[in-house]
Amino acid sequence: MGPENPQEPGSKLDRPPVCVYDLFFDLPHPTATEKTRIIDPPVTLSPILSEEMYKPDNISRLARFAFPEYDEVAQLQQLASEQEGLLTSRGRTFGANLSKYDIYSIDFVVHHHTFSLLLPDGRTRVHGHVRRYLPQHSDSAGRTDVGRRRPRAMIILTRAIGGERFYTSLLKTVESLMIKARAGDSGSLTQSRDPVRNFLHAVFNNHANIVTQYAEMRRYGLTLNFTQTPKGLVERESKCDIAKLVMEQNEDIFRITVDKLEFGPGGGMKGRNFELEDDRLQFYLPYSLQPGFECIRQDSIPEDNYSPITPLLRFIGPSNFLRVLSALLCERRIILISNSITRLSMCVKAASSALAQGLLMWEHALIPVVPPHLIPSLSANVPYLVGVLTPFVKRLRELEGLNDVLCVDVDKNELKTFNMPNPRNIVPDLLKKVNRKSDQSVPSAETLANDLDEIFQADQKLWFSSEGNEKVKESGVKASDMSDTQRSDKSIGEASSKSGKKKTIIDRILKKPEQHIMSLAEKRQYATSVDAAAYFGKMIRSNFQKEMPESNNDEETEFSAPKYSKPSQGTDSDSLEACAVAENEGGEEDVRAALTCFFLHMYGDMGMYLSETNGTFWLDRRKFLLRKKQEGEKENSPMFLVLRKFSSSRMFSDFVNQRISDMISITTRERISIMPHHIPLFDICCKYLQIHRLEFTLLNVRKIVANTVISCTRHLAVERSVTLRNSAIALTSDAPFEGNVGSSLTQLIESCRECNTNLSVVMSVIWHRLND
C-alpha cells in the first residue's frame, strides 16, 4: 500500500458503487497502549479495502498519517536516554506514566486533515478524513476537562472524492455522540449500546435509500437532467429557470436526514410516548455522493475538483498564488510549509484543486501532510506536491539530492527556492510584464491576477459589519484607468444604464439593461450582496479597462511585478479562524470562474492541439506551441516558457486523451443522464464555445463563463449561503435589525439543522463575533 500515488483509470463496471464510508477507525496515539476500534459499514462494498486495512501493518500506517507530527525516531532516542513514566503535570515524579504527548484540554487544538492511499490492486484509491479528539480521563469517567491525556484520532475511510466539509461535520457529530453517551444524556442513539455505530449505520442506510430511490426513478425514465418541464413553469421558460426550479423541488434527494438524534423518543422524558417532530439533523451530500454522479465518467474528473481553493489564496495572496500555479503547470517539486496540520492540508488540496479547474490531474505524488518517516523520499528525482510541518523543515536541508524545489511557507507568506540554479526559467513568473507593439491585449495571467486580487480583497472584508462598511467605502478601490481610444475600441462603459452611460459587458451578457449593477465600492464584499455573478461580471468589466503600457519598439522590457494585496502577517496558525468553519461560497465560486477563464484561454479550441491522421486524433505539441506564437506569445516570455514545459507534461497528454475519449465514446443517452450541476464549469463553457463556433479569445471566454456562473444550478447554493450569512451578521450586529427579529431568528435556527452547510455558515459568524 503506497501513499498518494496516481490512480490508474478503470472502467465503470469494475468499480463497486461508492458509499458514505467504507471503514471507520478510532485510533490511539502511536505511543499509547489502548486498542484500536474499527466500525464496518452495514454492507461491505469494497472487500479488498476491508481486507487490506484490517492488517496490523496498515493500521500502524494509518496512525502515522493521523499523527503526522509524531517522530518515531526521536521518540526512540528519548526512550533510550530516559525512563518512560517520569513526567507529571508538576514536573518529574516517579510512576506518573505520562509523556510529552499527554496534554491538558486547554492546550488541545482540534485538527482536521486528509490523506489518500492507493491499495495494492493499483486501482482502488481510498481517502482518509481525520479528526483529533481528547478522550475522557481514565480516573474521571465522563469528564473531558480534567487531567492530561493523549489525543486519539477518528478516521473515515471512503472511496468518494472531495466532501471535506461533509466528513468534517460527520466526525464532529460522532464526537458529540461520544460525549453525550459518557454523560448519560438521552437520545435515540446515545441510549443505545453503541451510539457511534448506530449513527454511522443510519447515515449509510439513508444514503443507500436515496441512491435506490433515484435508481427507481431512472428505471421509469424520470431523471433530474432538467429536460422535463416541472409543475409551475410553462414550456416557454428558459432551460436555466427550469433547471433551478427542478433543483429546488428535488433538493431532498441530496440530503441525508437522521431523526431523533438529540432527544430520542418522548423528547428525552421517561414515560412519555410523544416524539419531537423537529428532532433531526441533516447533511447535504457532496457531489461525489449525490445520486446521478455515477453517470459521469469518474476518470474524467480530478479528485480535488471540489476542494476549496480560497484557503491557499487567503494565506499567500494573488502574486504568490500565480507563482505556485506556474510551478504546478511546469510539474516542479513543490513543498508547502506550515505549523498547522489543518492549514497545511487545506492549502495542498487547494493547490491541486486550482489545477482541477482546467480538468488537469496532478499525476505525481501528492501528500497533504508528510509524516516524518516519508521525508527521506522527497529527495527522489520526480515532481511532487506535498506539505511539511515546520518542525521538520530542517531535515530537508540534510537530504542528499534534493534540488529544484519551490518552498512556500503559508504561515509567513514566503516563497523560497532550494538548490534551484535558474528560478526564472524553472518556475517562470507569469506576472513579468513585457511591452509589445504588435499586441495590445491584456495577458491572461495578468487578468487572472487582477481577478484574484479583487476576490482576495473582498474575502478579507467579508466579515465587516454594516457600520464598518462606511470605512470600506471611504478607503476607495483600486483605480482602473483607460485611454479614450481603448474605451472606444473595447466599447466598455463605466456605469450602469441608469446613469445614462454605455452598457457594461455584464449588462449585454444578461440581456437586462434595466438591471442596476452596483459599483465595486458599494458591493466590495459578499456580506452586502447575494449576487455573486454580478460581482464577477463587475470584475470582468473593470479588468478590461486596465491601461496597457505603450512602447515604440517591439522588444521585451521587464517591469516590476504589480503590487497585489498581501495577507496579514503574524496570524496564529493554531487559532480557530472563522474561515476554517465555513467557506466563503461566493468567493469560492468566483475563484473557480477566474481559473476556468484562464485555462480555457490557455488551451484554446481543440484544433489548437489536435491533428488527425486516417480518422484518428492525436496530440500535436508542435502545433500547439506554433499556434500560441501566432497568437502573440513570444518564445522568451514567461507564459511561453510555461507552455513549452506544460505541452510535454503527462497532465496535458492525459487531458487531451480524455477530451478525445469524451468526444468519441460518450453516447447521447449517457449525456442526458448527467445532472447539469455535476458537470464541471470548464466542460460546460468549452462545449458552448465549440457548439456556437466562437473563438477562444479572452473576451469571449469571460463572457461565457460569467453567463454560465449565474445560470448554473450550482449558483443556488451560493445564493443560499450568502443570504444566510447576511442574515446571521445582521441578527448579531449592534445596528438595529430591519424586519421581524423573531421570524428571522426562527428561520435561521431551522436552517441550521443542515450541519455541514448552513450550520457551518452561521457558526462562522458566531466565532467571528466572539473574536470581536
Side-chain angles (χ1 to χ4, degrees):
M1 180 177 65
E4 304 291 344
N5 293 322
Q7 181 179 359
E8 297 296 332
S11 65
K12 193 186 302 184
L13 297 177
D14 294 338
R15 299 177 180 179
V18 176
C19 53
V20 170
Y21 79 100
D22 291 285
L23 279 177
F24 172 85
F25 287 84
D26 187 355
L27 293 174
H29 193 275
T31 60
T33 57
E34 290 89 352
K35 294 182 179 180
T36 298
R37 186 187 182 197
I38 306 176
I39 298 179
D40 296 289
V43 179
T44 300
L45 298 180
S46 181
I48 184 173
L49 190 153
S50 298
E51 178 183 353
E52 195 68 27
M53 301 314 301
Y54 263 98
K55 296 179 180 179
D57 290 343
N58 288 335
I59 293 179
S60 64
R61 289 193 182 100
L62 290 179
R64 290 176 177 178
F65 280 100
F67 297 91
E69 78 284 3
Y70 169 70
D71 189 355
E72 187 176 5
V73 176
Q75 175 69 8
L76 292 176
Q77 293 174 351
Q78 179 183 357
L79 291 178
S81 61
E82 63 180 60
Q83 296 181 0
E84 184 181 15
L86 302 182
L87 297 179
T88 67
S89 59
R90 299 297 180 182
R92 293 183 175 274
T93 308
F94 291 95
N97 196 27
L98 295 176
S99 73
K100 65 179 181 180
Y101 301 105
D102 295 275
I103 58 178
Y104 290 105
S105 59
I106 194 173
D107 300 322
F108 176 68
V109 177
V110 177
H111 289 294
H112 295 278
H113 66 280
T114 61
F115 63 88
S116 299
L117 300 170
L118 184 66
L119 299 188
D121 65 348
R123 296 182 305 170
T124 305
R125 186 158 182 156
V126 59
H127 308 279
H129 300 267
V130 184
R131 176 181 173 86
R132 306 270 197 87
Y133 75 98
L134 274 183
Q136 63 180 352
H137 198 277
S138 57
D139 296 332
S140 301
R143 296 289 299 273
T144 59
D145 58 339
V146 296
R148 293 170 58 188
R149 292 143 289 155
R150 295 178 204 184
R152 293 176 67 93
M154 298 180 291
I155 305 177
I156 288 182
L157 294 182
T158 176
R159 288 167 292 116
I161 61 176
E164 286 86 354
R165 297 287 175 186
F166 172 77
Y167 287 105
T168 296
S169 183
L170 280 185
L171 291 172
K172 285 181 180 179
T173 307
V174 168
E175 183 180 1
S176 299
L177 286 172
M178 290 164 39
I179 295 174
K180 285 169 63 68
R182 289 196 296 262
D185 203 351
S186 60
S188 178
L189 297 180
T190 53
Q191 286 181 342
S192 62
R193 194 169 186 178
D194 194 342
V196 175
R197 180 186 296 272
N198 289 350
F199 170 71
L200 292 175
H201 283 197
V203 172
F204 184 98
N205 293 329
N206 200 308
H207 174 256
N209 292 337
I210 291 175
V211 173
T212 304
Q213 176 185 350
Y214 185 70
E216 283 293 315
M217 291 175 58
R218 292 185 59 192
R219 276 186 59 191
Y220 292 99
L222 299 175
T223 63
L224 293 185
N225 59 2
F226 310 138
T227 56
Q228 300 95 350
T229 302
K231 296 180 179 179
L233 280 182
V234 295
E235 294 190 2
R236 66 174 179 269
E237 295 286 350
S238 67
K239 292 183 179 180
C240 295
D241 293 334
I242 294 175
K244 290 181 178 180
L245 185 58
V246 171
M247 173 69 80
E248 292 175 351
Q249 292 179 352
N250 296 274
E251 270 197 319
D252 286 342
I253 204 170
F254 304 130
R255 288 191 182 97
I256 288 178
T257 303
V258 182
D259 295 319
K260 298 185 288 294
L261 184 61
E262 293 285 340
F263 302 101
M269 302 292 292
K270 294 183 178 180
R272 302 290 181 88
N273 56 3
F274 67 90
E275 296 182 1
L276 296 178
E277 296 181 359
D278 295 333
D279 185 9
R280 67 179 183 276
L281 289 181
Q282 293 179 329
F283 301 90
Y284 197 86
L285 290 171
Y287 290 137
S288 57
L289 289 175
Q290 291 182 3
F293 188 79
E294 68 278 359
C295 299
I296 297 182
R297 298 180 58 178
Q298 302 303 304
D299 53 352
S300 66
I301 299 182
E303 289 183 352
D304 297 324
N305 186 52
Y306 306 110
S307 298
I309 306 174
T310 48
L312 181 62
L313 180 62
R314 285 191 185 109
F315 297 127
I316 68 175
S319 299
N320 288 342
F321 185 95
L322 258 72
R323 202 64 183 265
V324 172
L325 182 61
S326 173
L328 289 169
L329 292 173
C330 294
E331 292 190 325
R332 301 302 180 187
R333 300 186 187 94
I334 306 171
I335 299 178
L336 271 61
I337 301 169
S338 176
N339 199 43
S340 168
I341 298 175
T342 302
R343 177 176 298 189
L344 203 56
S345 178
M346 286 194 304
C347 289
V348 172
K349 285 287 188 179
S352 177
S353 182
L355 279 180
Q357 304 316 304
L359 298 188
L360 295 175
M361 303 184 190
W362 182 256
E363 302 289 352
H364 311 285
L366 190 153
I367 311 178
V369 187
V370 178
H373 73 282
L374 290 180
I375 288 181
S377 64
L378 298 182
S379 60
N381 189 23
V382 294
Y384 49 71
L385 172 61
V386 300
V388 174
L389 291 171
T390 303
F392 301 121
V393 172
K394 59 182 179 181
R395 296 192 182 183
L396 298 176
R397 304 185 182 94
E398 303 171 359
L399 294 179
E400 295 182 1
L402 184 64
N403 51 37
D404 289 346
V405 178
L406 177 66
C407 297
V408 184
D409 192 324
V410 297
D411 293 338
K412 301 178 182 179
N413 188 24
E414 294 179 352
L415 266 68
K416 296 181 179 180
T417 58
F418 190 83
N419 292 340
M420 188 178 292
N422 193 352
R424 290 191 176 184
N425 289 335
I426 295 178
V427 185
D429 184 4
L430 295 176
L431 295 180
K432 174 186 174 183
K433 289 188 175 182
V434 293
N435 278 343
R436 297 186 180 92
K437 184 177 179 181
S438 59
D439 184 11
Q440 296 296 327
S441 62
V442 181
S444 58
E446 183 182 346
T447 304
L448 174 61
N450 291 332
D451 288 347
L452 294 179
D453 187 56
E454 298 284 352
I455 298 168
F456 174 80
Q457 292 186 46
D459 182 76
Q460 294 289 300
K461 298 178 177 65
L462 176 68
W463 304 105
F464 274 82
S465 59
S466 57
E467 55 268 23
N469 287 338
E470 298 301 324
K471 298 180 181 180
V472 178
K473 294 178 183 179
E474 293 174 1
S475 63
V477 297
K478 186 170 53 178
S480 299
D481 297 327
M482 192 176 188
S483 65
D484 294 336
T485 304
Q486 289 171 315
R487 294 174 193 269
S488 176
D489 292 342
K490 297 181 183 295
S491 300
I492 299 177
E494 290 186 345
S496 64
S497 57
K498 288 188 178 181
S499 62
K501 299 183 180 180
K502 296 180 180 179
K503 298 178 182 178
T504 63
I505 290 179
I506 197 65
D507 287 331
R508 294 197 297 271
I509 289 175
L510 302 178
K511 297 180 181 179
K512 295 180 179 179
E514 71 281 0
Q515 183 180 1
H516 172 62
I517 300 179
M518 293 188 179
S519 66
L520 192 60
E522 293 173 328
K523 294 281 179 88
R524 190 66 183 180
Q525 66 283 344
Y526 290 101
T528 57
S529 174
V530 300
D531 195 352
Y535 177 82
F536 181 69
K538 178 65 179 180
M539 288 194 300
I540 291 179
R541 180 181 64 190
S542 62
N543 288 331
F544 273 104
Q545 295 174 350
K546 304 294 181 183
E547 182 177 2
M548 296 298 297
E550 299 179 356
S551 175
N552 297 326
N553 54 60
D554 197 36
E555 297 180 358
E556 295 188 359
T557 306
E558 183 175 352
F559 290 85
S560 59
K563 301 298 182 181
Y564 294 104
S565 305
K566 292 185 178 180
S568 57
Q569 301 298 316
T571 305
D572 183 8
S573 60
D574 290 332
S575 63
L576 179 59
E577 303 161 351
C579 63
V581 180
E583 277 304 323
N584 173 11
E585 295 295 343
E588 186 67 32
E589 181 184 56
D590 284 354
V591 171
R592 294 173 184 273
L595 287 167
T596 301
C597 291
F598 173 78
F599 284 114
L600 281 170
H601 182 260
M602 185 182 77
Y603 298 143
D605 194 4
M606 296 181 71
M608 291 277 291
Y609 47 79
L610 285 185
S611 292
E612 183 261 341
T613 303
N614 298 327
T616 302
F617 294 97
W618 52 280
L619 171 60
D620 192 339
R621 294 183 172 89
R622 184 173 176 273
K623 177 182 177 182
F624 176 67
L625 294 177
L626 181 61
R627 292 290 296 273
K628 282 298 178 181
K629 288 182 184 179
Q630 294 173 350
E631 289 183 352
E633 291 290 348
K634 293 196 173 183
E635 290 192 31
N636 58 346
S637 68
M639 190 64 197
F640 194 83
L641 294 176
V642 171
L643 292 173
R644 179 181 293 166
K645 177 64 178 177
F646 173 71
S647 64
S648 60
S649 66
R650 181 180 172 184
M651 280 193 306
F652 188 46
S653 177
D654 288 350
F655 167 81
V656 174
N657 292 334
Q658 190 59 52
R659 302 284 73 73
I660 296 174
S661 177
D662 290 345
M663 182 173 57
I664 297 175
S665 60
I666 296 184
T667 64
T668 304
R669 183 175 181 180
E670 289 177 333
R671 291 185 188 278
I672 65 174
S673 299
I674 301 175
M675 299 186 195
H677 67 287
H678 289 164
I679 305 175
L681 179 63
F682 179 94
D683 253 349
I684 298 175
C685 299
C686 184
K687 285 182 172 57
Y688 184 93
L689 288 164
Q690 291 171 348
I691 291 173
H692 293 81
R693 298 185 179 182
L694 299 174
E695 294 184 3
F696 281 65
T697 62
L698 195 57
L699 184 60
N700 284 344
V701 165
R702 291 167 71 80
K703 280 183 179 181
I704 300 307
V705 171
N707 199 6
T708 305
V709 165
I710 196 173
S711 303
C712 186
T713 51
R714 281 189 292 263
H715 188 61
L716 288 174
V718 175
E719 289 180 334
R720 187 164 52 242
S721 173
V722 175
T723 302
L724 194 65
R725 179 181 285 112
N726 293 342
S727 178
I729 290 177
L731 286 168
T732 56
S733 173
D734 293 334
F737 182 78
E738 298 180 1
N740 190 322
V741 176
S743 176
S744 300
L745 195 59
T746 301
Q747 294 177 3
L748 192 70
I749 295 173
E750 179 63 27
S751 65
C752 286
R753 300 188 187 282
E754 197 169 282
C755 300
N756 59 315
T757 53
N758 298 343
L759 179 61
S760 299
V761 171
V762 175
M763 287 305 302
S764 65
V765 176
I766 294 176
W767 279 115
H768 170 71
R769 293 304 189 193
L770 291 177
N771 289 334
D772 285 344

